[in-house]
Amino acid sequence: MNHVAWALLGMAGYSATTMFVKLATRTGTFGAFAVLSIATSIVAIAAAANAYLGGAFADKSAADFLRPGALYAYAAGIVLTVAVGSLFKALSLGPASVVVPIYGMFILGGAFLGIAVLGEPLTSRKILGLLLAAAGVYFVAV
């Protein structure tokens, strides 16, 4: 699969995740962070198994886990914990039709960081797309 197919699969997965988090917290059996704990445990086990079985750690030494790539991975884990934890808590408190579009603004944040930090090109087409995306979120969430 190419990057677009993977992105579409991720979008579909996040869409379904929203529904299941709302259903799980709505029952009152588990709070947002208990649901997050269960869900992320499944993700962690699946990701570790995929990496291990795919040979991602086969040639790594302990020193590799202190290199810049590993440090970026740790930073990604920290901010992803905050992001997903915040999403699950927000979903437990408010309507998905408002929470998800606001949370989805990470697309704009990621695009801006790609341009500002990673040096990706800024085109008039991208500017228009980002403005339309922000307007769409506003109209859906308000």
Side-chain angles (χ1 to χ4, degrees):
M1 286 197 315
N2 66 21
H3 64 286
V4 174
W6 281 110
L8 289 170
L9 182 60
M11 179 272 305
Y14 255 118
S15 296
T17 298
T18 298
M19 177 189 63
F20 288 124
V21 170
K22 279 304 285 187
L23 291 170
T25 57
R26 186 183 286 172
T27 66
T29 304
F30 293 109
F33 291 105
V35 173
L36 177 61
S37 175
I38 294 166
T40 56
S41 295
I42 293 168
V43 171
I45 291 166
N50 190 6
Y52 177 77
L53 295 173
F57 300 120
D59 62 343
K60 302 297 180 232
S61 69
D64 290 322
F65 291 90
L66 298 175
R67 295 185 193 277
L71 300 178
Y72 289 133
Y74 305 142
I78 291 167
V79 297
L80 183 60
T81 298
V82 172
V84 176
S86 299
L87 171 63
F88 278 49
K89 186 64 176 178
L91 285 169
S92 74
L93 298 172
S97 61
V98 173
V99 169
V100 173
I102 294 170
Y103 180 81
M105 292 292 287
F106 78 86
I107 294 167
L108 297 176
F112 285 129
L113 289 172
I115 293 162
V117 177
L118 302 176
E120 296 175 358
L122 177 62
T123 64
S124 57
R125 186 175 178 172
K126 283 185 183 178
I127 293 169
L128 178 62
L130 293 170
L131 290 172
L132 290 172
V137 167
Y138 173 79
F139 287 118
V140 171
V142 177

